[in-house]
Amino acid sequence: MRKLLNENSELKLEIDDIKKKLKNQDKNIELVFSYIDELTEKKAKPRKRIGFKPDDL
């Protein structure tokens, strides 16, 4: 009986650890998507052209 209770408590601890890891991963995934949303919302400024400009023409 003690062995059975001990095994169940170990399983419960392992399941709790897995739940904590999953909760952290969910938060990280949400953070990544929020960063992606921020990057897609920013509009790129027109870039300054570089190179030769014929002023005499």
Side-chain angles (χ1 to χ4, degrees):
M1 189 73 142
R2 287 182 186 173
K3 183 179 178 183
L4 181 64
L5 289 173
N6 189 25
E7 288 175 0
N8 284 338
S9 64
E10 288 176 7
L11 284 175
K12 185 178 184 227
L13 290 175
E14 287 182 26
I15 290 172
D16 287 340
D17 286 342
I18 291 172
K19 285 181 181 179
K20 287 178 187 177
K21 288 179 184 179
L22 287 176
K23 187 180 273 189
N24 287 337
Q25 285 181 350
D26 288 344
K27 289 179 184 177
N28 290 337
I29 290 172
E30 288 178 15
L31 184 64
V32 167
F33 279 115
S34 69
Y35 286 147
I36 289 173
D37 289 340
E38 286 179 17
L39 289 174
T40 55
E41 288 177 1
K42 289 183 182 179
K43 299 203 176 195
K45 295 179 183 177
R47 296 181 73 185
K48 186 176 180 181
R49 291 187 60 138
I50 57 174
F52 178 72
K53 294 182 186 178
D55 291 332
D56 298 333
L57 296 176

